[in-house]
Structure formats: structure tokens, C-alpha cells
Amino acid sequence: MSQYHIDTNCIHAGYTPGDGEPRVVPIVQSTTYKYDHAETLGKLFDLEQDGFFYTRLANPTLDAVEKKIAALEGGVGALLTSSGQAASLISVLNICRAGGHVVCSSAIYGGTFNLFYKTMHEMGIDFTFVSPESTEEELNAAFQPNTRCVFAETLSNPALIVTDLELFAKVAHAHGVPLIVDNTFATPINCRPFEFGADIVIHSTTKYMDGHAVQVGGAIVDSGKFDWNNGKFPEFTEPDESYHGVVYCKQFGNAAYIAKARAHLMRDLGAQASPQNAFLLNLGLETLALRMERHCSNALKVASFLEQDDRIAWVNYPGLKSSKYYDLAQKYMPNGTCGVISFGIKGGREAAAKFMESLKLASIVVHVADLRTCVLHPASTTHRQLTDEQLVEGGISADMIRMSVGIENPEDILDDIKQALAQV
């Protein structure tokens, strides 16, 4: 589908029906698949032949959606997971075992931070958290002999810090390790990290890719560009005895990373997406390009209004020319960033609570990036497990409101904000 534009691929990539076949990607709600010969199943289990034999590893519905997401990001393959958290876990665990180390941006989603800072630390993997605005020298100083990868978000949730992807990729590659980028907020419509040197991209498909808040899921996409034969990653170049000695780089070439993620970790962790959720995700992907355009235009109107209102203490939206991240946003996301805005109201936390409770169109929900406008107070919800110091490092203040601007009529969104501000 490479000959088509990305908005066309949102609709058509991943599935081409044959004569008399369903026009829409069908839901294959089956755990298993019938074969006439035991030899065929044996070849499937040995990874010598492509096909479906158990939905925990692969399923026709999931396969179609995985191919679509890989096409949108420009990768060689993708793997759907049961959640964005599962995608974060597997993306790192696929190349980092106990005794390993990761250099990670400190401005990441609170759930991801907790996964890395606590759970994966308890698994024997250590993380050094660095400012997403680090210089090349500061990034280099964070590396250790056992560093296995670098992790960052294109747009941090909720601080909306724009990562200098080319710089992070340059430093990661200088140390012989890949850069993993969470591209959830930007989506491939607004940023394709592989074009700036990233090696692995992950998503919480629960957000914009779905867009309707009806399924929880994640995705991992492999660029196929990283050289796993550089001597640092024996798991790709030496036999995997749990698969009869398969050598992933030898058997799968430039798709070794995503093949191992599926055959090894999905097999053992079982964090697979359901066919029903993959079907719902695909419906969202079909309108992703249209929705992102509206999210971004609406958010810019809201951010511009808030910036001019004297009841607002501060506004952070990379699409504003006044934003310190504007130039980076124009470099990596010239057609728009996302629909999320962070801002503070004069009067601090109490004023923030009053404002959110006074909204009528927008809802207070523990969610972000769907078609309905919603708000949240990160310091007391999604990031409440962080210390005050960690909140500051992540760019989160006590008065921060995260507003996810939906695709409603912008005048209705603005009227709702105005009436809520009048109540504060």
C-alpha cells in the first residue's frame, strides 16, 4: 500500500478482500484453527511456516490490523497487545533482561513511569531517568555498559514536552542501542518517528487510534532498521532453545525484533488483544486522519483563547507560537501535534477543581484522546503515585489541568469553558 497516502492507508491497508469475501475486516472469534496434517502444525510451531494455529500468537483479525498499523508507521511488522502498558513492557523486555539498564525520558505517562520505576526494577532492570530536554552531553552521561535501549515519548503525557527525536536517536545509536518511542499522542498521522531515527514505536491504541473509548489495547511496531547483529543482543543472534534453536536474525532478517516479541514474549506473557477489540480498533483507524485534523484545529482554538484570558495562569500547547516547544513541534509535527492541552488556572488546585466541576459539555474522566472533550487533574489521578520531585521532573505542576479537546463544534467547546471559568 506504499503507493497510497497515509489517509488512504487508514482505510485500506492491511486487508484486501478477495472475490466474494467480506468488504470489512471480519471478526475471527476463534481460539484455534483446523489443519489436515500434523506436519503442518509442526512447521507452524517451529516457526518454519506462516499461518494461524492459536489466537494467543496470531489471529486473522489481529493480523489485518497489525499490518495496517505497520503500514501507517512505515515499519516491517507490528504486534497488537492487550493494553498500552503491555506494549511498553514487551517493547523493553524483548531486548532487556535482569541486569540490564535503560535510559528513559523522565516526562512520560505516570503508568509507564511506575512500570519502569517499580515493577521492572523489581524484575532486575534499572532505569536512569533524564530530562527530555537533555543536551547530547547529558544524554551520553546517562549511559552505562549494560544499557540496552533508550525510551521516550514523542509528546509527553501530560506535560506535552516535544522530544528531540533526532538527538535521542543519534545518542542511542552512538552507543549501539535502539530508540523506542511512544507515539500515542502524535499518532502516525502527525509524526512518523522512524523517519527521524527511531527504531521501535509503541502506542496505546486506547487513545486516538481507537478514538471512541471502546477498547483497551496497545501496539508495537518494528522499523526493521536496527542492526541486531552488532554484538550487544545475543537473544537475536544465538539459538533460542525454547524454539528448537531458532536464530531470529537468521530466520526473520530485518523483522527479527517483532518476530521475537510475538514468538517468545507473547507466547509466555499472553498479553494478546482480543479479535473483538482489534475489530473496534480498526473502525477507529479508518477515520484517524480525519479526526486528528479536527482534534488539532479545535485544540489550537482553545489554547489560543486560554492564552488570552487573564484568569489563566499559564498554557502549554506546542501548536502555539509562544510555546517553548513550537520550533521542535514544527520540525517533527508540522501538520499539528494532538488535541491535548495543559494549563493552570489562577487560584491553584482549588480553582482547578471548581473549573472542572463546572464544565457541562466536557467530562471529568480518567481517559484522554477520544472524540469527546474531557479533563483531568494529573497530580491527583494518573500521576498521584509520583513524589513532588518526580512530578516536577515530569513537567507536572499541582495546578495542571489536562484538557483533551474533542471533535465537537469548537464554539460549543469554548462556550463551555467560558461558563465554567465564570464559576471559578
Side-chain angles (χ1 to χ4, degrees), residues 104-121:
C104 183
S105 169
S106 60
I108 55 176
Y109 167 59
T112 310
F113 181 89
N114 207 49
L115 168 66
F116 292 166
Y117 181 75
K118 177 176 173 57
T119 304
M120 294 191 76
H121 173 74

Side-chain angles (χ1 to χ4, degrees), residues 155-378:
L155 278 168
S156 64
N157 175 11
L160 299 176
I161 298 171
V162 180
T163 300
D164 190 341
L165 297 177
E166 287 188 336
L167 174 61
F168 271 64
K170 174 185 176 182
V171 174
H173 295 160
H175 290 270
V177 301
L179 171 63
I180 302 174
V181 173
D182 185 334
N183 198 34
T184 296
F185 268 15
T187 81
I189 300 302
N190 288 338
C191 183
R192 286 159 56 96
F194 293 155
E195 297 177 359
F196 301 102
D199 303 288
I200 310 296
V201 161
I202 68 169
H203 288 273
S204 169
T205 62
T206 317
K207 311 303 191 299
Y208 285 122
M209 281 189 163
D210 167 353
H212 300 79
V214 293
Q215 64 84 44
V216 173
I220 306 170
V221 189
D222 180 4
S223 71
K225 296 178 180 179
F226 189 79
D227 180 14
W228 302 106
N229 289 288
N230 67 2
K232 287 180 174 284
F233 302 93
E235 52 267 73
F236 294 102
T237 58
E238 296 180 3
D240 181 349
E241 297 306 327
S242 70
Y243 266 117
H244 310 289
V246 64
V247 178
Y248 292 103
C249 277
K250 182 178 180 180
Q251 187 152 332
F252 298 99
N254 67 341
Y257 174 91
I258 206 69
K260 179 180 178 296
R262 182 186 306 279
H264 172 203
L265 291 179
M266 189 58 74
R267 175 198 67 185
D268 292 351
L269 298 180
Q272 185 60 280
S274 73
Q276 178 73 45
N277 277 0
F279 174 82
L280 294 170
L281 169 59
N282 186 61
L283 293 181
L285 288 170
E286 290 178 342
T287 61
L288 179 62
L290 292 172
R291 287 185 289 102
M292 289 308 296
E293 183 178 344
R294 181 62 173 251
H295 279 297
C296 292
S297 65
N298 277 2
L300 184 58
K301 291 174 182 176
V302 170
S304 298
F305 166 78
L306 292 173
E307 188 177 40
Q308 301 301 318
D309 195 292
D310 59 11
R311 293 165 292 187
I312 304 300
W314 57 273
V315 180
N316 179 21
Y317 185 65
L320 290 172
K321 291 184 178 180
S322 58
S323 169
K324 63 185 292 189
Y325 307 113
Y326 180 78
D327 290 340
L328 276 178
Q330 290 301 298
K331 175 181 179 179
Y332 294 117
M333 295 161 279
N335 296 320
T337 55
C338 68
V340 181
I341 301 169
S342 59
F343 62 96
I345 296 178
K346 292 177 181 177
R349 186 180 292 229
E350 290 185 6
K354 179 64 175 177
F355 168 78
M356 292 191 298
E357 292 164 0
S358 300
L359 290 167
K360 296 179 180 178
L361 176 67
S363 302
I364 303 174
V365 298
V366 185
H367 196 246
V368 67
D370 69 54
L371 49 79
R372 305 166 189 84
T373 298
C374 58
V375 293
L376 194 69
H377 185 251

Side-chain angles (χ1 to χ4, degrees), residues 388-403:
D388 289 344
E389 181 180 4
Q390 290 167 343
L391 285 170
V392 172
E393 290 174 353
I396 301 163
S397 58
D399 65 341
M400 175 186 285
I401 294 172
R402 182 185 71 183
M403 173 169 277

